Amino acid sequence: MTQRGRATRPTGRPRDAAGPRGGDLAARRTRLRAVIEPVVNDAGYDLEDLSVSRAGRRHVVRVMVDTDGGIDLDAVADVSRAVSAALDAAEETGGDIVAGEYQLEVSSPGVDRPLTLPRHWRRNVGRLVKVTVRGAAALPGQRGEQPAGDRQLTGRVVAADDEGVHLETDDGCAAWAYAQLGPGRVQVEFTRLAELGEPDDEFDDADDSDDIDDSDDIDDEDDVEDEER
C-alpha cells in the first residue's frame, strides 16, 4: 500500500546560505534519513527503506515503513503527513533537503521485500521462504559428504529471534544463524482445491434437508391445484 503526496518549495522563500546545496542522490538520502527516521520511529514504526530518484524535473522520495503485525493504509497516511510536515520544517530552518519540487511516497513492504534483518524473519513466521545457505557442507536430509558451498534451501519459518531462524523442510527442522544465510525470499503459495479436504458432513446434511423440504412444498401446492380443478 502506498500513500502519495507532493511537496513543492515556494519560489519566493530565500535559501539558507549555510544549508546543503543539492549534491548527489546518496548525499540527499543521508540528509533525508536524518530527518525522516526519527519521525517514523516516534510514530512506532521502523524505517525499512529510503530512496531518492529523479522523475523528470522533480525528485521522488520513497519511504518504506513497517512494524510487527503490519501497517494499514490509515497508518501509512498518518506517517506520510508526519514525514511531509517534518521535511517542510527542516527546510524552513536548515535549507534545502531536496533541491526543487519533489513527490513523497510512503508505503509498506510487499512480499517481494528480501528478508535481511532479524525483525524481517520474525514478521514472516509461518511463511515459506527460499534462502541461500552460505558455505554449507550439507543440508538437512542430505547423505554423505558434500563439497562446501552456497546451497539453496526452501523451508517454512517456524521461529525467529535475534540470533537466528528455525526453518522446517520436508526433512525436518533445523536452526540457522543469520550469518549463515543470505537474503530470504518469501514464496507465494497457491492452495489447490484438493488440499482443502472433504466437505463438512453436517453442512451436506443441512443442504439435503432443505432440498427435501422444498420438494414437499411443491408437491403440496400441486395437490391443492388438483383439488380446485
Side-chain angles (χ1 to χ4, degrees), residues 21 42 134 136 188 210:
R21 300 292 186 180
D42 288 346
R134 299 179 177 131
V188 178
D210 288 342

Short mmCIF file of all heavy atoms in Angstrom, two decimals, residues 21 42 134 136 188 210:
data_model
loop_
_atom_site.label_atom_id
_atom_site.label_comp_id
_atom_site.label_asym_id
_atom_site.label_seq_id
_atom_site.Cartn_x
_atom_site.Cartn_y
_atom_site.Cartn_z
N ARG A 21 23.44 22.14 -0.62
CA ARG A 21 23.12 22.60 -1.96
C ARG A 21 23.00 21.43 -2.92
O ARG A 21 23.83 21.22 -3.78
CB ARG A 21 24.22 23.55 -2.46
CG ARG A 21 24.40 24.79 -1.61
CD ARG A 21 23.20 25.70 -1.72
NE ARG A 21 23.42 26.96 -1.03
CZ ARG A 21 22.53 27.92 -0.97
NH1 ARG A 21 21.36 27.76 -1.54
NH2 ARG A 21 22.79 29.04 -0.32
N ASP A 42 9.28 7.63 16.13
CA ASP A 42 8.39 8.23 17.13
C ASP A 42 6.95 7.79 16.93
O ASP A 42 6.17 7.72 17.89
CB ASP A 42 8.48 9.75 17.09
CG ASP A 42 9.80 10.28 17.65
OD1 ASP A 42 10.51 9.49 18.31
OD2 ASP A 42 10.12 11.46 17.40
N ARG A 134 25.04 -20.13 3.16
CA ARG A 134 26.41 -19.87 2.74
C ARG A 134 27.37 -20.92 3.29
O ARG A 134 27.36 -21.22 4.48
CB ARG A 134 26.85 -18.48 3.22
CG ARG A 134 26.02 -17.34 2.66
CD ARG A 134 26.50 -16.02 3.20
NE ARG A 134 25.76 -14.90 2.62
CZ ARG A 134 25.23 -13.92 3.33
NH1 ARG A 134 25.33 -13.92 4.64
NH2 ARG A 134 24.59 -12.93 2.73
N ALA A 136 27.58 -24.10 3.15
CA ALA A 136 27.03 -25.29 3.80
C ALA A 136 27.65 -26.55 3.21
O ALA A 136 27.65 -26.76 2.00
CB ALA A 136 25.52 -25.34 3.63
N VAL A 188 5.29 -17.20 -2.71
CA VAL A 188 3.83 -17.11 -2.80
C VAL A 188 3.28 -18.52 -2.96
O VAL A 188 3.70 -19.27 -3.84
CB VAL A 188 3.40 -16.23 -3.99
CG1 VAL A 188 1.89 -16.19 -4.10
CG2 VAL A 188 3.97 -14.83 -3.83
N ASP A 210 -32.87 -29.19 3.25
CA ASP A 210 -33.51 -28.06 2.59
C ASP A 210 -34.13 -28.50 1.27
O ASP A 210 -35.23 -28.09 0.92
CB ASP A 210 -32.49 -26.95 2.33
CG ASP A 210 -32.10 -26.26 3.63
OD1 ASP A 210 -32.84 -26.42 4.60
OD2 ASP A 210 -31.04 -25.58 3.64
#
